[in-house]
Amino acid sequence: MTEKPHTVKSYEEQLQQLTNNLVVMGGNCETALGNSIKALCNNDNTIAEAVIDNDTVIDNFESQIEQEVVDLIALRQPMAIDLRETVTALKISSDLERVGDLAKNISKRTKLINNNLPDNLTQSIERVGAIVQKQLKLVLDAYTNRSPEIAVDVWEKDEEVDNLTNLCMEEVIKYLKSGKENVEYGSHLLFVTKNIERIGDHVTNIAEQIYFLVNGSYLEGDRPKGSQPIVNGEK
Amino acid sequence: MNKIEAKKVNVFYGDKQALFDINMDIPERQVTALIGPSGCGKSTFLRCLNRMNDVIEICKVEGEIKINDYDINQKSTDVVRLREKIGMVFQKPNPFPKTLYENISYGPEIHGMAQSKDELDQIVEDSLKKAALWNEVKDRLNEPGTGLSGGQQQRLCIARAISVKPEVILMDEPCSALDPIATAQIEELIDELKKEHTIVIVTHSMSQAARVSQQTGFFHLGKLIEVGSTDKIFKNPNQQQTQDYITGRFG
Ligand SMILES: Nc1ncnc2c1ncn2[C@@H]1O[C@H](COP(=O)(O)OP(=O)(O)OP(=O)(O)O)[C@@H](O)[C@H]1O
Ligand SMILES: [Mg+2]
C-alpha cells in the first residue's frame, strides 16, 4: 500500500527523512557485518580497525533517529500508518545499533587473534556469516519496499541460521578440545559465533517490526526454531 | 447495549441530499466521536438524533432513528420531551439573553427538578462547576450570559445542557473556541459524564476524538465511510479514505 503524500509538505519530508536515515544506517550495518567476518577470516586487522571506528557512525544514526522520532511524536502527533512508521523506526534503529555493536565486538576479538585459523573453522564461520548477511540485506529490502512477504521469508529462515550456528559451534568446540593452546582463540570464536547468531535474532526482530508496520497486526505464532543449541544461552 | 440505532437515514436540504443511507449504532454510556471534513454532514447527523432538523424549513429526514428502541421520527413524538432527554451543545454558543444564573436554572425549573431555591442554587453551582466555569463566574451570576467570552459562553451552554440531566448529550465541536485548559476540563467532564450519559461529539481535532471517545465514525460527502472502535480507527483503520483523513493526506 503506497500512501498519498501528506497535505503538509514538511511533515511528509520529516517522515521521509526518518525512513532514509534508517535505510542508510542499515547499509552501514551490512558493511560492518560483512567486513567484520572478512577481517576475522583473513586475519586482517586494518579492516577490523575500520569496523571498530565506523561503529560511532552507526551509534550517531541511532541517536539522530531517536531525536527525529521524539520530534515527530511531540510536534506532529502521528496517527495510524504514520504512528507505526515512527514507532517502528525507533525499534528498528535500536536493533540495528545492536547489530553494529556485535560486529564491532567481532572485530575487537579479531584483533586479539594473531595467527591464521584452521580453514574448516573459517569456512564454518563464513557460512553462517554469509547467511546472516543475506538475511540482513533482505530485511532491509523488506523495509525499503514495505514488504511483509519478504519480512516473513526472513523470519522463517532464522531456523537455518540457528542450524548453521550450531554446526559452527561444534567446530569451535572440537577446536577447543584439540589442544590447550587453542583455548584463547577458541573462546573468542565461541563469542564470535554467538554474536553472529544474535545479529540473526535482531534481523528477525526487524522483520517482525516491518510486518507490524505494514499490517498493523503482529506476526503470529512461534518462529520455527532450529536444532537445540549446544551452548545454552539466554534463549 | 445500543442507546441509539440509526437505520437508512437520508437527509435532504431542498433538492440537495446531505446524508446517504446512514446506519449507525451508538452504544450506551460511551462517547461516540463523529469526524470528517467540513460539510460532510456531521452536524446534520447529530441534529437527526434529537430532531433539531425539524426547525430547518427545507430539511427533510428519512429513515429510522431509535432511541431506547423508540423511533423518534414518529409523528406522535413529543419533541420537547425528546430534547429534554437528548440535550445538545451547539457548534456556536447560544446563551439565552438572560442572566448567567437564569441560563442554567431555566431548564431545571420548568422540569420541576428543584423543590426549593436552595436546591436550584445547588444545581446551578454543580452544573457550572462541572462545566469548569464556576470559578470565573461565581461572583457575577446576575450578569447577562451574552457578556461572557466565546469560550465562557460555550462552557455556559455545556452547563445548561447538563443541568437537566439528559440521557444523551450531543456536542457539536464543544471545544473549538476553548483554550487548552478549558478543553482539558471539558474532556475530563466528558469522561465523568459518560458514566451516566451517552455522548455523541463532533470534533475536528483528531487527537480529541482519540482521547475522549470509545467509538468513532468517519463521514465523507454525506456517507458514513467507517465506524468502529476509536482504538482501531486511529491505529489501523479498515478504509484507505479514513486513514488518509486522519493522517492528513486528504484533498
Ligand atoms: N440549513 C441548511 N440549509 C442548506 N444546506 C445545509 C444546511 N445545513 C447544512 N447544509 C448542507 O449540508 C451539508 C452538510 O452540512 P453539515 O453542517 O452537516 O456539515 P458538517 O460536517 O457539520 O461541517 P462542519 O465541520 O463545517 O461543521 C453541507 O453541504 C451543507 O452545505
Ligand atoms: Mg458542523
Side-chain angles (χ1 to χ4, degrees):
Chain A
M1 187 160 66
T2 42
E3 302 294 332
K4 286 198 250 179
H6 287 87
T7 310
V8 178
K9 285 202 191 70
S10 55
Y11 183 20
E12 182 70 19
E13 283 160 14
Q14 244 177 303
L15 277 168
Q16 194 58 54
Q17 164 87 20
L18 182 67
T19 298
N20 291 349
N21 274 336
L22 204 63
V23 170
V24 178
M25 181 183 185
N28 271 276
C29 291
E30 253 186 283
T31 309
L33 172 60
N35 282 344
S36 70
I37 289 166
K38 197 198 282 176
L40 175 74
C41 296
N42 300 327
N43 198 10
D44 186 332
N45 281 349
T46 321
I47 298 182
E49 201 69 63
V51 171
I52 294 166
D53 287 348
N54 200 54
D55 192 50
T56 50
V57 175
I58 296 175
D59 289 350
N60 289 341
F61 266 112
E62 193 202 16
S63 16
Q64 167 80 21
I65 287 166
E66 191 175 317
Q67 193 56 56
E68 287 174 1
V69 167
V70 170
D71 286 354
L72 273 163
I73 291 175
L75 306 177
R76 304 287 188 184
Q77 289 110 37
M79 297 269 192
I81 180 72
D82 299 336
L83 180 60
R84 299 202 298 278
E85 281 282 358
T86 310
V87 172
T88 53
L90 186 66
K91 293 197 80 174
I92 292 175
S93 72
S94 102
D95 276 308
L96 287 176
E97 190 273 337
R98 293 296 302 142
V99 169
D101 278 352
L102 291 163
K104 175 178 165 183
N105 186 270
I106 294 174
S107 285
K108 280 182 166 173
R109 294 180 187 283
T110 298
K111 285 177 67 186
L112 301 172
I113 297 175
N114 298 318
N115 300 323
N116 286 336
L117 297 163
D119 282 351
N120 65 324
L121 267 184
T122 54
Q123 277 160 11
S124 284
I125 291 171
E126 269 170 342
R127 207 176 317 131
V128 60
I131 186 175
V132 173
Q133 277 181 72
K134 194 168 142 218
Q135 289 272 85
L136 179 57
K137 184 186 174 306
L138 273 178
V139 90
L140 294 171
D141 286 350
Y143 181 72
T144 315
N145 298 311
R146 299 292 184 275
S147 163
E149 293 80 16
I150 304 179
V152 170
D153 275 354
V154 169
W155 192 72
E156 283 173 344
K157 274 228 191 68
D158 192 53
E159 186 177 11
E160 222 171 304
V161 175
D162 287 349
N163 290 339
L164 285 177
T165 311
N166 289 339
L167 287 178
C168 188
M169 274 302 185
E170 280 174 29
E171 295 286 341
V172 175
I173 289 169
K174 256 188 246 157
Y175 171 70
L176 272 165
K177 281 179 174 164
S178 66
K180 274 208 184 87
E181 68 283 6
N182 296 336
V183 167
E184 194 188 334
Y185 292 177
S187 310
H188 286 311
L189 293 178
L190 283 176
F191 281 104
V192 165
T193 311
K194 203 67 198 164
N195 284 353
I196 297 173
E197 188 195 17
R198 288 225 181 95
I199 291 174
D201 292 340
H202 288 293
V203 169
T204 52
N205 286 349
I206 296 172
E208 285 168 8
Q209 288 301 314
I210 293 164
Y211 186 92
F212 171 69
L213 163 61
V214 180
N215 293 327
S217 58
Y218 298 95
L219 245 175
E220 304 249 333
D222 285 332
R223 176 154 36 87
K225 281 269 183 299
S227 53
Q228 281 302 305
I230 303 206
V231 179
N232 270 307
E234 70 261 48
K235 291 220 299 183
Chain B
M1 221 192 82
N2 291 326
K3 183 73 179 176
I4 305 176
E5 290 178 6
K7 288 212 175 66
K8 300 208 88 171
V9 174
N10 287 283
V11 178
F12 303 81
Y13 292 104
D15 299 339
K16 195 175 165 286
Q17 187 162 1
L19 288 178
F20 298 82
D21 277 334
I22 306 297
N23 295 304
M24 190 172 188
D25 292 340
I26 293 172
E28 189 167 25
R29 289 170 212 239
Q30 284 192 20
V31 180
T32 295
L34 308 180
I35 60 170
S38 194
C40 68
K42 305 177 296 291
S43 298
T44 301
F45 181 69
L46 203 66
R47 285 197 299 266
C48 289
L49 304 180
N50 66 348
R51 292 204 26 194
M52 275 313 244
N53 286 320
D54 288 14
V55 302
I56 301 171
E57 191 93 14
I58 57 165
C59 187
K60 191 166 65 113
V61 178
E62 289 174 356
E64 194 178 84
I65 291 171
K66 282 187 168 172
I67 298 186
N68 299 334
D69 241 6
Y70 170 85
D71 185 356
I72 63 164
N73 286 334
Q74 297 174 43
K75 282 240 159 50
S76 57
T77 303
D78 177 345
V79 179
V80 176
R81 282 242 330 144
L82 174 73
R83 290 182 196 147
E84 172 195 327
K85 276 195 187 171
I86 322 283
M88 187 156 189
V89 178
F90 294 85
Q91 199 161 357
K92 280 193 223 108
N94 57 345
F96 303 143
K98 295 183 176 204
T99 67
L100 289 169
Y101 186 94
E102 286 163 338
N103 260 277
I104 313 294
S105 68
Y106 178 79
E109 223 171 351
I110 58 163
H111 295 127
M113 291 170 63
Q115 307 310 318
S116 64
K117 174 82 170 79
D118 278 356
E119 262 184 66
L120 195 58
D121 286 352
Q122 198 56 51
I123 293 177
V124 170
E125 180 174 337
D126 288 348
S127 305
L128 285 168
K129 276 184 173 159
K130 282 187 177 168
L133 188 58
W134 177 248
N135 286 334
E136 284 156 75
V137 301
K138 62 175 187 282
D139 301 321
R140 45 192 284 208
L141 292 174
N142 291 317
E143 292 174 23
T146 46
L148 297 176
S149 77
Q152 289 170 331
Q153 286 186 21
Q154 188 62 298
R155 280 176 285 159
L156 182 68
C157 294
I158 292 172
R160 188 178 67 195
I162 61 183
S163 65
V164 293
K165 304 199 161 33
E167 293 175 26
V168 178
I169 304 170
L170 310 174
M171 297 180 158
D172 200 342
E173 292 179 52
C175 300
S176 56
L178 302 190
D179 67 27
I181 298 165
T183 299
Q185 285 165 333
I186 297 306
E187 289 180 3
E188 165 60 19
L189 170 68
I190 291 172
D191 265 353
E192 200 53 43
L193 288 173
K194 76 160 189 279
K195 291 177 188 155
E196 287 171 36
H197 310 258
T198 302
I199 296 169
V200 186
I201 179 174
V202 170
T203 175
H204 280 295
S205 159
M206 298 301 104
S207 53
Q208 177 167 65
R211 285 193 299 266
V212 302
S213 72
Q214 290 72 54
Q215 175 178 253
T216 297
F218 169 60
F219 286 78
H220 181 46
L221 297 175
K223 297 196 171 104
L224 179 62
I225 305 295
E226 182 169 358
V227 59
S229 82
T230 296
D231 189 67
K232 172 88 177 131
I233 296 285
F234 287 102
K235 276 171 28 191
N236 194 17
N238 287 328
Q239 302 298 321
Q240 184 68 41
Q241 263 179 309
T242 313
Q243 172 145 300
D244 287 346
Y245 182 70
I246 61 168
T247 59
R249 291 176 162 94
F250 223 70

